[in-house]
Amino acid sequence: MKPFVSTPLVSPARALAGTVTLPGDKSISHRALMLGALSVGETVVEGLLEGEDVLRTAAALTALGAELARDERGLWHIHGRGVGGLAEPTEVLDLGNSGTAARLLMGLAASHPFVSFFTGDASLRRRPMRRVAEPLERMGARLIAREGCRLPLAVVGTAEPLPITYRVPVPSAQVKSAVLLAGLNAPGVTTVIEPVATRDHSERMLRAFGAVVELSERDDGASAVMLTGQPELKPQRLAVPADISSAAFVLVASLLVPGSRVSLKGVGVNPLRCGLLTTLAEMGAELSLENKREQAGEPVADLVIAAGRLEGVHVPAARAPSMIDEYPALAVAAAVARGTSRFDGLAELRVKESDRLSAIAAGLAANGVNAEIEGDSLIVHGSAGPVAGGGQVETRMDHRIAMAFLVLGLGAKAPVAVDDGAMIDTSFPGFVALMNGLGARIAAP
Ligand code: S3P
């Protein structure tokens, strides 16, 4: 355990200011490595997130036979093995804290004729895997797991994967992507039907590598993604946009420290990831998107944010998939806002790196903020200014809980401590140094 403490910056003399480039997008980084490993030739990735989660994907792909190397300029070079060309790993694939790595790689392994073993850290070993096991078994793989379909588990892949049509029962880009990645090695068209649209990074990147991916709308309003199997993926040169989920913490910190003004360069603003920006604007945030452009098949922009008064907000359930990782940061914004905020449709937050719904409520309560959980909704009664603070927050091995409450401490009356800051490196290496560079005071005592 590595406890961190953040000290209030509520005096205008300590505003946050500057221009920063944040680490690469986690979702896009995992996918860039995976599709590079399935192409024939050399893929080069710039701006890869070198956080623990993505490094686990890199190690697993190496164990599956791809060649990955980082050069002295920080570019990643991947020599792939072609679709269907992965090799049986001789070691257990340990995906650490990363649900994305585990679920997407299970999809890849399922459509190869070998056996592979998956595990992860204590947090990942608690997370549900039936959601991917079920469609992968329909495609012909067999998964052998312990009670509740949790890791560690074995994937017995199939030499003849079936292209299926699968309607995802929970809004999950990881489930959609696992099925699509398995479908890459199946003859014919694999179709994933999503009643609620989730992030489409896999679809965009598959197209960039030359696969045929078509979209259609069903009569009931659901969307269908159709992938034509067994394409020859062509190696690419990609620059990963900065991660909007990491930007969330910098945006909220800038909003709640009086006098702050911060620019964030080249942040991914995929519409299926931008729910937080919509929500902050509804709360009255002064936030602008400048220099809009495209990078790696994804929309990006520079974000400029200035501190200001925030109002409580109601976020409907329909918006949740587009900001599912941003609720810890949003809850902090709601804590300093004027009035009550209500966030609906948060069932999925219970099965993230921790039960985030309860971790957020407990962290707020420890810092003098009134919050309640009502079914799958979170209600936060804002303090209309700095919160009391002074609490010790249990992060439960969850990087986003740690960052959210360190941000809360910057806008509190008394310092806020988190029990463990080490996990932050899974998604945002350099978070503390970057924040302190902007004027924050976060310390690992
Ligand atoms: C991710 C999808 C989301 C998100 C996770 C990354 C992805 O999970 O919470 O951090 O890269 O596909 P679910 O698909 O399980 O909602």
Side-chain angles (χ1 to χ4, degrees):
M1 292 263 189
K2 200 171 166 198
F4 285 6
V5 179
S6 67
T7 307
L9 293 177
V10 284
S11 124
R14 292 286 304 195
L16 301 179
T19 298
V20 283
T21 302
L22 303 185
D25 186 276
K26 182 153 71 73
S27 295
I28 297 172
S29 294
H30 284 297
R31 287 158 172 83
L33 294 183
M34 290 179 198
L35 294 192
L38 296 177
S39 317
V40 180
E42 188 190 56
T43 287
V44 181
V45 184
E46 185 187 335
L48 187 86
L49 170 64
E50 293 175 338
E52 187 60 30
D53 277 16
V54 176
L55 297 178
R56 294 285 180 156
T57 285
L61 290 169
T62 304
L64 288 159
E67 280 173 35
L68 291 89
R70 177 190 195 277
D71 71 21
E72 65 289 348
R73 288 173 300 159
L75 298 177
W76 281 73
H77 300 259
I78 304 129
H79 288 270
R81 297 182 58 108
V83 168
L86 297 178
E88 183 173 90
T90 55
E91 58 204 77
V92 175
L93 305 177
D94 182 349
L95 289 321
N97 194 244
S98 179
T100 309
R103 295 192 177 113
L104 271 56
L105 288 166
M106 282 163 63
L108 277 185
S111 59
H112 283 77
F114 54 65
V115 181
S116 47
F117 298 88
F118 286 71
T119 193
D121 69 10
S123 153
L124 188 57
R125 280 184 270 122
R126 279 193 291 268
R127 296 179 68 186
M129 294 296 155
R130 190 169 328 275
R131 51 181 61 197
V132 279
E134 210 244 326
L136 297 178
E137 291 202 318
R138 286 200 208 177
M139 298 178 87
R142 202 151 57 86
L143 280 91
I144 303 164
R146 61 190 186 86
E147 182 63 28
C149 203
R150 319 266 161 186
L151 298 182
L153 60 70
V155 176
V156 184
T158 172
E160 292 175 351
L162 298 170
I164 59 167
T165 294
Y166 189 67
R167 191 179 177 93
V168 286
V170 283
S172 169
Q174 293 179 358
V175 175
K176 169 175 63 177
S177 301
V179 175
L180 292 175
L181 290 174
L184 270 178
N185 198 27
V189 176
T190 294
T191 303
V192 180
I193 300 169
E194 288 192 296
V196 186
T198 62
R199 63 189 70 192
D200 61 355
H201 305 304
S202 298
E203 296 90 308
R204 287 172 184 262
M205 199 172 290
L206 281 162
R207 279 207 199 96
F209 275 80
V212 175
V213 179
E214 281 164 332
L215 305 176
S216 73
E217 199 180 318
R218 314 284 282 200
D219 293 344
D220 61 358
S223 50
V225 183
M226 289 152 294
L227 168 77
T228 303
Q230 300 180 330
E232 189 182 317
L233 297 182
K234 310 254 179 347
Q236 299 296 310
R237 204 186 158 95
L238 301 169
V240 178
D243 198 328
I244 191 161
S245 297
S246 297
F249 301 104
V250 185
L251 293 175
V252 171
S254 307
L255 282 168
L256 58 74
V257 178
S260 298
R261 186 177 177 83
V262 172
S263 299
L264 305 157
K265 293 284 177 206
V267 181
V269 288
N270 181 316
L272 293 165
R273 292 280 300 278
C274 274
L276 179 73
L277 303 185
T278 308
T279 304
L280 292 178
E282 287 174 1
M283 295 177 84
E286 201 187 303
L287 166 67
S288 59
L289 276 66
E290 297 176 358
N291 194 15
K292 289 186 194 161
R293 55 206 187 269
E294 206 163 279
Q295 198 174 306
E298 297 275 348
V300 300
D302 301 333
L303 306 183
V304 181
I305 186 110
R309 231 184 248 289
L310 297 175
E311 302 291 329
V313 69
H314 174 212
V315 182
R319 198 182 294 164
S322 69
M323 52 179 298
I324 194 66
D325 293 335
E326 281 64 85
Y327 285 98
L330 178 63
V332 169
V336 299
R338 197 179 60 168
T340 296
S341 292
R342 181 184 179 96
F343 311 140
D344 290 332
L346 303 186
E348 279 296 299
L349 279 197
R350 295 191 185 276
V351 291
K352 294 296 176 189
E353 285 82 331
S354 68
D355 174 347
R356 283 190 179 152
L357 200 48
S358 94
I360 292 170
L364 291 175
N367 287 290
V369 181
N370 288 328
E372 298 116 54
I373 296 170
E374 231 181 65
D376 293 334
S377 301
L378 177 69
I379 296 144
V380 180
H381 303 285
S383 308
V387 304
Q392 158 94 17
V393 175
E394 274 183 46
T395 53
R396 310 182 191 189
M397 298 181 74
D398 190 323
H399 51 127
R400 299 202 199 281
I401 296 298
M403 288 186 276
F405 284 98
L406 289 171
V407 166
L408 183 73
L410 303 176
K413 292 178 186 150
V416 172
V418 300
D419 63 359
D420 187 5
M423 298 305 291
I424 290 172
D425 283 352
T426 62
S427 68
F428 196 160
F431 168 76
V432 170
L434 184 135
M435 293 300 297
N436 288 346
L438 289 170
R441 279 181 293 192
I442 302 175

